[in-house]
Amino acid sequence: MTKIFFKNKFSALGLACCGVATALTASVALTSCSDFLDKEPDDRVELSTEDQVVMLLTASYPDANYGWFCELSSDNIMDLNAEHYPIDGDAAQNLTHYNLGSSGRQDDEAYRFEPVKSSTSSDTPGGLWSSYYITINSVNEALAAIDQLVAEGSAMTNKLTAAKGEALLIRSYCHFVLVNVFSQAYKTEELSKQDIGIPYITEVINTVDDSYSRSNVTDTYKKIIADLEEGLKCISDINYEKPKYHFNENAAHAYACRVYLFHHQWQDAIEQANMVLGTDKAQLLPKLFDYAPLDDCSYLDDFANVWQNPNEWSNLMLIDTYSTIFRKSRYRYEQGGMRARAIYFHNAPMWRRWVGNPAAFVSGLFGSRDYGFCPGWIGEQFQYSDKVAGIGYAHTFRREFTATELLLERAEAKINTGDLAGASEDLCTYHESTMNFSEKSKETYAAQNGMLPLTDDMIKDWFAKETKDNYNCFDDWDFLKNMDPNWVISADAVPYMNCVNYWRRYETNFTGKRFFDLKRWGMEYYHVYGTNTSTGVQNDTIRMTWNDPRRALEIPQDAIAAGMEPSQPASLTTDTTSHVKPASMTIDELIMK
């Protein structure tokens, strides 16, 4: 039998004791730090049956959320204290600014691409690091228990096989997120050997003096893919009545598609997406998100319940996180100004006047037109610990894998194989799904906005190059060659990549995945922040080049103090002032480039 045991500190990973007690089931209560340390080793939890292994995996998903700090690191969020134009393109185009406070100093640090030192909460890099490595250690316990059970004569049953697959997929997924946050994006096998990776932990951590190498991005991806492919061989849905909260078969294939896409294995990505979506367009639309139930929603909780519904076919896997991302988005750093205009509010051939994307309005946008917006899919689900006192825990369910996002990932992979007709069909089907309203809403929005279906001709025309209405288009995608010298998007394919960029920015909004896209595509962007002075507002602009070391977020300070190699050069920890503001460009022109 295997016993769960953790030393009081994982020195090399910088994890403190309160975060490392693994829950076996809801009935095995987590103790306080002092209680835990007071126990003798013989009081450790034993894993002696396959049911206990399955129950351990049930409690072994990460509870931190990378959405907020990755959004702050992307081009989706702006500083409302900096000078900016209004969201409404029909309003007077006068620069304005506010004097707002942030939800915490950690937001200031993240927005300015500084190491986040002031907090290690669930919505920070430090919280993510701890939560994900705790999860990794937990699934390593499960894998060790499976090996021990088999060694002691237990049969490798279908239940144990499925548990092994789930554990390997969780381990792979956690390292995949960690490497995309704390390292540079994958480039090529040779180029990525020069970029620092993250510790890939495959053994149970039970000592305080182990040292863990970060290796490189190439090596990290090899291990991610090895776990992924072994997990795919084993995964099944037999262990759970509610598989949407676990790595089920569809979620496993969707995850595989994402990994292969990021690793430039285009055909493999397409094949994995086909395992979920199929190849028949007639059967595809019902698998995409159904907006009709949103008709009956009035409040944030209502919208959150629809978006995060496990019975919605498109939701392939949900992860419960402790997160206040919705609250954090109501302060200084928001999706306002030209950021909101780029994502929601602009003219387009799919609607015939200057207005927001109809799907965004139906889905539930919250905020004011001056201060910014956030979508209903990040709404909280609050768990009261004391209703009288009004206290408890804020949960946000991450829709980590969806059929709708998977369709866009398949479209991108098809573009890179030269299948532009197939990519066009996927992109047009995606847009069709954003009009998958109730008949009542279709009548309303069709009358108000002149909604039209997206066509291949529209893609070739409106997405052909950068325009004043479409801020997500490029005249060419030659910047991809910085990431991979052989990564070429032909002139014919440029409109389709622009369309992918356009829809992915909307679809992944407030999930943090926009930051991953900016990194893996090598896109340059800017952050502008304002400082109020006695003479007015002073704007500073940070330029994020394709190879800026700060694209790899810094690991927690306690991990560095324990001896782990930092993500960024030492000079960046004291000097993060690579600011630039071309004199010929206004603030908003600059940040939209």
Side-chain angles (χ1 to χ4, degrees):
M1 62 185 66
T2 297
K3 295 184 177 182
I4 301 176
F5 175 60
F6 298 94
K7 292 290 187 180
N8 65 342
K9 184 179 181 182
F10 302 163
S11 59
L13 291 175
L15 301 180
C17 64
C18 274
V20 299
T22 302
L24 179 55
T25 69
S27 62
V28 181
L30 295 182
T31 61
S32 68
C33 269
S34 59
D35 289 340
F36 180 75
L37 295 176
D38 288 340
K39 290 182 179 294
E40 294 295 327
D42 286 343
D43 288 334
R44 294 171 289 184
V45 177
E46 298 180 353
L47 295 176
S48 57
T49 69
E50 61 181 21
D51 286 338
Q52 289 178 330
V53 172
V54 172
M55 285 189 287
L56 172 59
L57 291 175
T58 300
S60 294
Y61 283 80
D63 57 16
N65 194 327
Y66 62 88
W68 178 238
F69 67 82
C70 282
E71 289 295 300
L72 281 171
S73 303
S74 77
D75 61 352
N76 278 349
I77 301 294
M78 66 167 291
D79 177 7
L80 290 176
N81 289 1
E83 290 181 316
H84 61 278
Y85 290 115
I87 293 171
D88 189 342
D90 290 335
Q93 296 300 290
N94 298 322
L95 286 171
T96 187
H97 68 87
Y98 300 102
N99 186 20
L100 304 173
S102 60
S103 69
R105 193 173 72 181
Q106 67 274 9
D107 290 1
D108 301 322
E109 294 166 338
Y111 185 79
R112 299 183 189 189
F113 301 107
E114 299 169 0
V116 178
K117 300 179 180 180
S118 58
S119 175
T120 57
S121 68
S122 175
D123 290 306
T124 66
L128 182 90
W129 179 274
S130 295
S131 175
Y132 275 56
Y133 275 115
I134 290 165
T135 291
I136 289 165
N137 204 65
S138 182
V139 297
N140 284 339
E141 290 276 7
L143 289 166
I146 292 170
D147 289 342
Q148 185 68 23
L149 287 171
V150 173
E152 292 175 353
S154 296
M156 190 64 180
T157 62
N158 290 337
K159 196 169 187 176
L160 276 182
T161 299
K164 178 180 178 180
E166 183 181 7
L168 289 168
L169 288 165
I170 296 172
R171 186 168 76 183
S172 175
Y173 160 79
C174 286
H175 286 103
F176 175 75
V177 172
L178 289 166
V179 77
N180 277 284
V181 170
F182 296 104
S183 300
Q184 296 291 339
Y186 180 82
K187 301 180 180 74
T188 67
E189 183 170 355
E190 288 305 314
L191 290 175
S192 291
K193 288 178 181 178
Q194 309 306 314
D195 292 328
I196 190 170
I198 45 100
Y200 205 99
I201 310 299
T202 58
E203 302 292 335
V204 177
I205 301 174
N206 56 19
T207 63
V208 298
D209 57 353
D210 288 345
S211 60
Y212 298 96
S213 168
R214 293 189 64 175
S215 187
N216 57 63
V217 171
T218 294
D219 182 62
T220 301
Y221 262 90
K222 286 181 178 179
K223 293 173 180 176
I224 287 169
I225 292 171
D227 273 352
L228 162 64
E229 293 180 344
E230 184 64 23
L232 283 173
K233 296 175 185 177
C234 301
I235 195 66
S236 77
D237 296 347
I238 65 172
N239 285 343
Y240 301 109
E241 294 181 1
K242 297 181 179 180
K244 293 292 187 74
Y245 297 109
H246 305 269
F247 259 114
N248 55 77
E249 293 179 40
N250 282 336
H253 291 300
Y255 168 56
C257 174
R258 186 172 302 165
V259 172
Y260 290 140
L261 184 71
F262 281 40
H263 199 244
H264 307 172
Q265 294 176 241
W266 318 121
Q267 193 57 48
D268 290 330
I270 293 169
E271 291 172 2
Q272 290 298 318
N274 289 346
M275 296 289 287
V276 181
L277 303 175
T279 58
D280 184 353
K281 181 183 176 181
Q283 297 179 8
L284 176 57
L285 200 60
K287 296 180 178 181
L288 306 180
F289 186 78
D290 181 9
Y291 285 74
L294 295 167
D295 262 9
D296 299 324
C297 297
S298 300
Y299 302 101
L300 174 62
D301 289 351
D302 302 330
F303 286 98
N305 287 333
V306 172
W307 277 107
Q308 300 164 17
N309 184 359
N311 295 321
E312 162 61 43
W313 204 100
S314 178
N315 289 338
L316 304 180
M317 189 172 105
L318 302 168
I319 297 180
D320 182 9
T321 68
Y322 292 108
S323 173
T324 55
I325 179 173
F326 181 83
R327 303 182 200 183
K328 293 178 182 295
S329 66
R330 316 314 312 137
Y331 290 85
R332 173 177 178 175
Y333 303 106
E334 294 198 22
Q335 209 161 73
M338 300 289 280
R339 305 296 196 185
R341 201 182 290 189
I343 300 168
Y344 307 116
F345 302 101
H346 49 261
N347 191 21
M350 297 83 78
W351 47 88
R352 290 198 298 265
R353 67 185 188 75
W354 195 94
V355 71
N357 177 354
F361 286 106
V362 172
S363 69
L365 284 182
F366 295 85
S368 71
R369 292 185 72 82
D370 288 335
Y371 282 89
F373 289 86
C374 58
W377 54 76
I378 63 165
E380 287 181 10
Q381 309 229 16
F382 199 79
Q383 174 190 0
Y384 285 98
S385 57
D386 186 334
K387 285 194 173 183
V388 175
I391 58 176
Y393 305 96
H395 294 258
T396 301
F397 281 86
R398 287 187 59 89
R399 301 164 62 243
E400 199 63 19
F401 300 103
T402 69
T404 313
E405 183 182 353
L406 181 61
L407 181 62
L408 293 176
E409 291 170 333
R410 185 173 74 176
E412 182 183 343
K414 286 180 177 180
I415 294 169
N416 282 285
T417 64
D419 181 11
L420 300 186
S424 178
E425 181 176 84
D426 282 351
L427 291 168
C428 292
T429 302
Y430 171 83
H431 178 254
E432 186 178 355
S433 79
T434 69
M435 298 189 294
N436 192 17
F437 312 148
S438 67
E439 290 304 317
K440 178 181 177 181
S441 289
K442 284 181 181 179
E443 291 174 6
T444 300
Y445 285 100
Q448 291 179 350
N449 307 328
M451 292 191 311
L452 295 172
L454 181 66
T455 66
D456 187 64
D457 286 340
M458 284 183 188
I459 294 175
K460 290 177 180 178
D461 180 26
W462 197 64
F463 291 96
K465 59 184 178 180
E466 183 178 359
T467 69
K468 66 181 181 65
D469 288 323
N470 193 341
Y471 310 93
N472 301 292
C473 287
F474 298 91
D475 294 340
D476 61 62
W477 280 66
D478 289 350
F479 48 84
L480 293 178
K481 294 178 182 178
N482 291 324
M483 304 298 290
D484 180 348
N486 296 316
W487 197 353
V488 177
I489 299 298
S490 68
D492 290 342
V494 165
Y496 300 95
M497 278 300 292
N498 284 337
C499 190
V500 164
N501 181 38
Y502 178 87
W503 284 126
R504 277 192 63 81
R505 192 172 185 184
Y506 167 72
E507 179 67 27
T508 65
N509 187 26
F510 272 95
T511 68
K513 296 170 190 171
R514 174 65 176 175
F515 182 51
F516 295 173
D517 285 349
L518 292 168
K519 289 171 69 170
R520 68 188 180 91
W521 287 333
M523 285 185 179
E524 296 194 355
Y525 60 105
Y526 300 82
H527 275 190
V528 181
Y529 62 92
T531 303
N532 285 286
T533 67
S534 58
T535 58
V537 64
Q538 174 183 329
N539 294 300
D540 285 303
T541 302
I542 304 174
R543 179 186 181 188
M544 187 58 58
T545 59
W546 73 271
N547 60 348
D548 194 300
R550 291 169 295 183
R551 287 182 182 249
L553 301 189
E554 190 54 89
I555 65 174
Q557 296 302 301
D558 51 358
I560 295 174
M564 185 166 291
E565 187 176 356
S567 296
Q568 302 170 359
S571 60
L572 284 178
T573 62
T574 56
D575 180 15
T576 58
T577 57
S578 59
H579 309 309
V580 59
K581 178 185 174 184
S584 62
M585 303 177 73
T586 69
I587 292 294
D588 277 305
E589 287 173 336
L590 178 65
I591 64 174
M592 295 316 303
K593 291 293 181 183

